[in-house]
Amino acid sequence: MGFQIIELQIENGIATITLNRPKALNALNLAMAAELGQAVHQVRDDPAVRVVVITGSGDKAFAAGADITEFKAMSPVDAWMFTQQLQRVYMGIERLPKPVIAAVNGYALGGGCELMMACDIVYASGSAKIGQPEVNLGIIPGAGGTQRLSRLIGKQRAKELVLTGDMIGAQEAWNLGLLNKVFPPDQLMSEVKKLAEKLASKGAVALKAAKEAIEEGYDIELERGVANEGKLFGLCFGTEDMREGVNAFLEKRPPQFKGK
Ligand code: CAA
């Protein structure tokens, strides 16, 4: 499928989705949100894709949020529909049965920060700036910012960021637990590639089951979460990858997983 506003590149099992409006700091307009949704469907259904990377083009931004120029003409219902669209896309990323890495190469603000938080692992450049600045526009976050942020960093810290609208640097965001690792800007993409290759070398069914166990268990009581984990653990015992992993360990050789 051809895309106009994003790029989708698939190489060696790694799909890289690049938000590509660098002049507007990769702001998410309606068309970009639609294309991002299509790309997420495409990589979900493509068995050749084992890992997904999401990044922004240029050297300034991952995404500076929703496209504010489109807000002027939006009615309350339009705005509601827009956030529902973004929420569906971000939920689709969070529930994608494959690991998703955010490569945050600059501003991740508003809808950009919300996109980053829907990804599984976040690597960022030291020049990244993170925030939920919506209150400065007289609005509030609409694509999960009031929900995922408090789950990730706690209610009080989330309130400080959302209520002040302040941006924070990469180091502070890492301290808060919003970023997995921070790298010098010129090393970010090579480190993301290393991580993506490492994840692509694992058994795809085990990664899917592990992600599902964490996602499904996150908002439910511990007892149900561990019970679900146990069933997914059992399911792994039916895979070729499990035989291969155990045999490789016993034979003291690296495993060759097939995702089956
Ligand atoms: N929407 C539309 N255009 C945007 C944009 C956005 N979110 N962010 C930046 N741009 C555009 C600017 O208008 C500018 O365009 P022109 O060259 O045509 O004037 C271009 O990108 C470059 O931006 P700046 O000149 O402002 O660059 P800067 O380095 O001086 O500042 C910035 C960078 C601090 C990120 C600043 O652009 C900014 O504050 N942007 C808005 C961030 C924001 O408020 N995001 C939240 C949006 S609301 C939202 O996301 C709701 C939700 O939850 C879904």
Side-chain angles (χ1 to χ4, degrees):
M1 137 150 297
F3 295 103
Q4 317 291 318
I5 312 176
I6 63 163
E7 285 172 7
L8 172 62
Q9 194 197 17
I10 300 174
E11 214 178 331
N12 299 327
I14 300 164
T16 303
I17 298 172
T18 306
L19 308 178
N20 191 21
R21 298 182 71 212
K23 286 191 184 137
L25 304 185
N26 303 319
L28 287 132
N29 59 11
L30 289 157
M32 189 192 267
E35 285 196 6
L36 184 58
Q38 284 160 17
V40 171
H41 274 275
Q42 188 175 326
V43 297
R44 188 193 62 201
D45 296 338
D46 183 347
V49 173
R50 298 199 295 281
V51 179
V52 180
V53 173
I54 302 180
T55 193
S57 72
D59 55 8
K60 271 191 86 175
F62 176 70
D67 189 325
I68 300 165
T69 62
E70 290 185 338
F71 284 2
K72 274 195 101 168
M74 275 186 190
S75 69
V77 173
D78 293 337
W80 182 28
M81 303 279 269
F82 174 53
T83 59
Q84 283 192 325
Q85 181 189 15
L86 272 185
Q87 287 168 11
R88 269 196 304 274
V89 175
Y90 293 1
M91 201 60 86
I93 291 169
E94 195 169 75
R95 290 301 168 112
L96 209 68
K98 324 183 172 192
V100 185
I101 305 166
V104 178
N105 54 324
Y107 292 109
L109 303 173
C113 181
E114 292 163 322
L115 171 60
M116 175 193 99
M117 291 189 289
C119 296
D120 300 311
I121 300 179
V122 183
Y123 277 10
S125 86
S127 61
K129 294 249 184 318
I130 317 285
Q132 295 286 164
E134 286 87 346
V135 288
N136 299 326
L137 301 168
I139 59 174
I140 69 166
T146 64
Q147 303 303 303
R148 287 195 179 87
L149 191 59
S150 54
R151 283 165 171 75
L152 277 168
I153 67 174
K155 215 159 62 163
Q156 270 184 324
R157 286 164 169 169
K159 281 180 184 162
E160 188 179 0
L161 278 177
V162 171
L163 300 183
T164 63
D166 286 347
M167 282 190 265
I168 55 172
Q171 193 56 48
E172 193 177 347
W174 180 83
N175 287 342
L176 287 172
L178 269 175
L179 309 175
N180 290 80
K181 288 199 173 117
V182 178
F183 300 98
D186 60 341
Q187 287 172 26
L188 174 66
M189 290 318 287
S190 61
E191 293 293 337
V192 166
K193 187 164 182 263
K194 268 194 240 167
L195 174 65
E197 284 169 350
K198 178 188 277 190
L199 294 170
S201 75
K202 312 281 180 197
V205 181
L207 294 192
K208 172 177 154 64
K211 178 166 170 177
E212 197 171 312
I214 293 170
E215 286 296 345
E216 286 193 355
Y218 198 69
D219 290 323
I220 61 176
E221 79 218 44
L222 184 65
E223 199 168 350
R224 281 175 54 215
V226 290
N228 186 44
E229 179 189 77
K231 286 177 192 147
L232 289 163
F233 177 81
L235 189 142
C236 292
F237 279 64
T239 63
E240 284 180 32
D241 282 348
M242 178 268 177
R243 307 265 157 252
E244 167 64 8
V246 171
N247 286 338
F249 176 80
L250 297 173
E251 292 161 16
K252 301 192 187 301
R253 62 172 174 82
Q256 294 291 330
F257 293 119
K258 292 190 190 140
K260 291 183 182 165

